[in-house]
Amino acid sequence: MPYILAIDQGTTSSRAILFDDSLSVAATAQVEFTQHFPKSGWVEHAASDLWSTTAATCRSVIEKAGIEARDIVALGITNQRETTLVWDRKTGKPIHNAIVWQDRRTSQACKALKAGGLEEVVTERTGLLLDPYFSGTKLAWILDNVDGARARAKAGELAFGTVDSWLVWNLTGGKRHVTDATNAARTMLYDIRKGRWSQTICDHLNIPMSMLPEVHDCASDFGETRADLFGRPIPILGIAGDQQAATVGQACFQPGMVKSTYGTGCFALLNTGDTPVRSQNRLLTTIAYQLDGKPTYALEGSIFIAGAVVQWLRDGLKIIRDAKETQPLAERADPTQEVVLVPAFTGLGAPYWNAECRGAVFGLTRNSGPEEFARAALESVGYQTRDLLEAMHADWQGASTTALRVDGGMSASDYTMQFLSDIIAAPVDRPKVVETTAMGAAWLAGHKAGLYPDQDEFAAAWALDHQFHPHMADDMRKEKYDGWKRAVDATMRF
């Protein structure tokens, strides 16, 4: 039986998933890696960890499935986006830790660039805001703060990439320095309308364009793996950033369809077709996917902390030992207490875009305990999602009001998904296959290889696991959401 190997390189772990010829999951392997927090608001990964855990999970999943590399038709990659790496072209060694998408160290630099009038240029060309979230100012920071980096970059000795580029470089033994349009679109350096790197923005940030990778469609020839890695070369035929891969995996191919993925953060994408829609509500305009040279655009709302709030309950407050304990705790919370948690641990994303504010808890009493904290943590995800959806509806009247397709780790929590449905007053659809991010990468590679069907047939096979319907009374919904808005306002004023 032929297989597709999907690499899902995320913020807290690397995974490898084997899909068979019917797009069913045959085997999965996962390894967590260390998060580094050098200073408040700074988040880094060791670049070697990203590569070693990826290679290890690929080997592990092949062994688990009891197959050989010759059974794998193609490999697809999906990855945490915006995370920034710079390495030496000759040695392949990184010159600094990877700076993670959550990192806020360039907030002051972004403020200075805004004051200089650059944000309008950035938004017009890239569809993004001038924010530390994106790769551009992270790359500039590395060039400014690593000894000799600027001179080496100008001499053509250094390569820049998001995580997909770093993985492909290592998978191919340094033969290919490439990315896809969706990852390029998240760097703040790529003109999403013209489909090329922006010389203007690179000049403003003093970034040599020689550092930048070649940009391809999401389904394309990205090279092949070194023969010694898995026993024979495997073609790399698909790449998409994690949220775009989930959009593909959720078969959101029609304009107006919306999906929301709940991983470390939460990301909602609204397909707007072949037209890039400029947001009036501080959402992002981005590329949902690009096939056959034709980009499909999306409006995106980004929440920095979703599943990470459960990790905080575990690792920070230490009130749980496993994420599965959160739902039973929340269900036992005192219904007379209204504890609200604003999880702005690394600032607030859309639609607020406040890099400086930090998390806060409101409504505590002497009786507040782990149960109330657990409920507030899970509810914060629903509140933030409603913020995004309201902004989307205001920006584009074609946005669907019928259902929200969800995926990611937190979508497995019935409690969280029911509250989400209640607070947005709309159905929430959870698919039978929640590995939508990896499935999107697998479909891109498998379709390019001729193994998987076209978009229409793939979309027709999408299957519902459970639909959550809103049960909350209108006055309760309004009261709770008004309380959330007051909490956010107070957090940003602190």
Side-chain angles (χ1 to χ4, degrees):
M1 180 183 293
Y3 294 88
I4 299 294
L5 173 59
I7 291 171
D8 184 355
Q9 202 300 301
T11 309
T12 59
S13 68
S14 297
R15 298 193 306 153
I17 301 95
L18 270 176
F19 291 85
D20 65 20
D21 58 357
S22 63
L23 261 175
S24 297
V25 175
T28 301
Q30 181 171 351
V31 177
E32 290 191 2
F33 52 85
T34 303
Q35 310 291 301
H36 300 275
F37 307 100
K39 295 182 181 179
S40 176
W42 291 29
V43 190
E44 295 181 357
H45 293 155
S48 58
D49 286 348
L50 302 181
W51 166 237
S52 64
T53 55
T54 296
T57 54
C58 287
R59 293 190 182 104
S60 176
V61 81
I62 292 170
E63 183 178 345
K64 276 186 178 182
I67 66 169
E68 297 185 11
R70 66 170 177 265
D71 300 316
I72 300 173
V73 174
L75 184 154
I77 297 172
T78 184
N79 57 283
Q80 54 168 309
R81 305 171 303 171
E82 298 95 15
T83 295
T84 302
L85 299 104
V86 178
W87 62 92
D88 185 296
R89 287 186 180 276
K90 288 185 178 179
T91 66
K93 293 182 178 179
I95 67 169
H96 190 274
N97 273 352
I99 302 181
V100 180
W101 57 273
Q102 298 163 312
D103 190 282
R104 313 304 285 171
R105 76 185 64 188
T106 64
S107 58
Q108 291 303 315
C110 288
K111 282 185 177 179
L113 292 167
K114 286 180 186 178
L118 185 61
E119 185 162 63
E120 177 59 30
V121 176
V122 166
T123 300
E124 176 62 31
R125 285 167 172 73
T126 71
L128 309 178
L129 301 172
L130 218 170
D131 189 87
Y133 176 28
F134 305 109
S135 312
T137 54
K138 291 177 168 66
L139 171 54
W141 187 93
I142 291 174
L143 296 181
D144 285 335
N145 288 274
V146 175
D147 287 345
R150 282 210 175 274
R152 294 176 66 194
K154 288 179 180 178
E157 297 175 12
L158 301 181
F160 152 76
T162 43
V163 172
D164 60 305
S165 297
W166 171 242
L167 295 183
V168 172
W169 178 277
N170 284 281
L171 285 165
T172 63
K175 291 182 179 178
R176 299 298 298 272
H177 184 208
V178 293
T179 189
D180 84 295
T182 68
N183 277 293
R186 311 299 298 188
T187 61
M188 209 178 77
L189 304 173
Y190 186 74
D191 190 321
I192 62 172
R193 290 167 177 82
K194 295 182 178 177
R196 66 190 186 201
W197 298 111
S198 170
Q199 181 75 62
T200 301
I201 298 173
C202 286
D203 287 348
H204 272 285
L205 297 179
N206 195 18
I207 293 171
M209 293 186 74
S210 61
M211 298 185 71
L212 309 180
E214 294 178 14
V215 182
H216 293 252
D217 287 347
C218 298
S220 183
D221 179 5
F222 295 97
E224 60 181 23
T225 64
R226 292 166 14 210
D228 62 302
L229 280 176
F230 309 118
R232 67 173 286 273
I234 301 172
I236 306 167
L237 299 182
I239 294 179
D242 52 11
Q243 304 313 316
Q244 283 86 350
T247 303
V248 171
Q250 286 277 38
C252 290
F253 295 129
Q254 298 301 316
M257 296 184 73
V258 187
K259 74 88 202 175
S260 190
T261 297
Y262 299 94
T264 301
C266 165
F267 304 86
L269 266 74
L270 163 66
N271 184 327
T272 63
D274 58 7
T275 305
V277 175
R278 181 159 181 175
S279 175
Q280 302 304 311
N281 294 279
R282 297 179 69 75
L283 298 178
L284 308 175
T285 306
T286 194
I287 295 175
Y289 50 87
Q290 182 169 305
L291 301 171
D292 300 321
K294 181 182 177 183
T296 294
Y297 295 97
L299 281 171
E300 177 178 330
S302 308
I303 298 168
F304 299 147
I305 301 294
V309 75
V310 176
Q311 289 181 318
W312 174 68
L313 296 178
R314 183 191 68 187
D315 302 334
L317 295 186
K318 302 186 187 303
I319 62 175
I320 60 171
R321 287 177 291 181
D322 188 275
K324 294 177 182 178
E325 299 172 28
T326 312
Q327 179 168 318
L329 272 179
E331 291 171 340
R332 297 196 300 270
D334 181 356
T336 67
Q337 294 191 50
E338 194 56 50
V339 177
V340 178
L341 167 63
V342 182
F345 304 142
T346 55
L348 282 172
Y352 307 105
W353 293 108
N354 187 318
E356 303 302 320
C357 70
R358 291 295 178 261
V361 184
F362 298 87
L364 293 176
T365 72
R366 287 192 65 179
N367 290 327
S368 299
E371 293 85 356
E372 288 71 37
F373 270 85
R375 182 182 64 190
L378 297 183
E379 289 185 348
S380 71
V381 175
Y383 289 130
Q384 291 179 98
T385 304
R386 176 166 169 177
D387 288 341
L388 300 183
L389 296 179
E390 292 204 343
M392 286 178 172
H393 285 285
D395 278 335
W396 201 63
Q397 298 306 309
S400 172
T401 56
T402 55
L404 171 67
R405 290 188 173 183
V406 297
D407 56 78
M410 288 193 85
S411 69
S413 167
D414 288 356
Y415 183 95
T416 308
M417 294 301 100
Q418 182 58 57
F419 181 78
L420 174 59
S421 177
D422 284 335
I423 205 66
I424 68 173
V428 169
D429 288 352
R430 182 172 64 199
K432 284 188 176 180
V433 179
V434 294
E435 296 282 7
T436 53
T437 304
M439 180 180 281
W443 180 80
L444 288 167
H447 180 57
K448 179 68 175 177
L451 182 64
Y452 293 151
D454 62 15
Q455 288 173 261
D456 291 341
E457 191 175 339
F458 175 62
W462 185 92
L464 179 70
D465 167 59
H466 187 80
Q467 184 172 73
F468 298 87
H469 295 275
H471 300 308
M472 187 179 288
D474 291 343
D475 57 346
M476 175 65 75
R477 181 182 299 112
K478 183 179 186 307
E479 180 182 335
K480 290 180 75 68
Y481 189 59
D482 285 347
W484 164 258
K485 298 293 282 187
R486 290 194 301 273
V488 170
D489 184 61
T491 301
M492 292 195 295
R493 289 173 182 269
F494 180 71

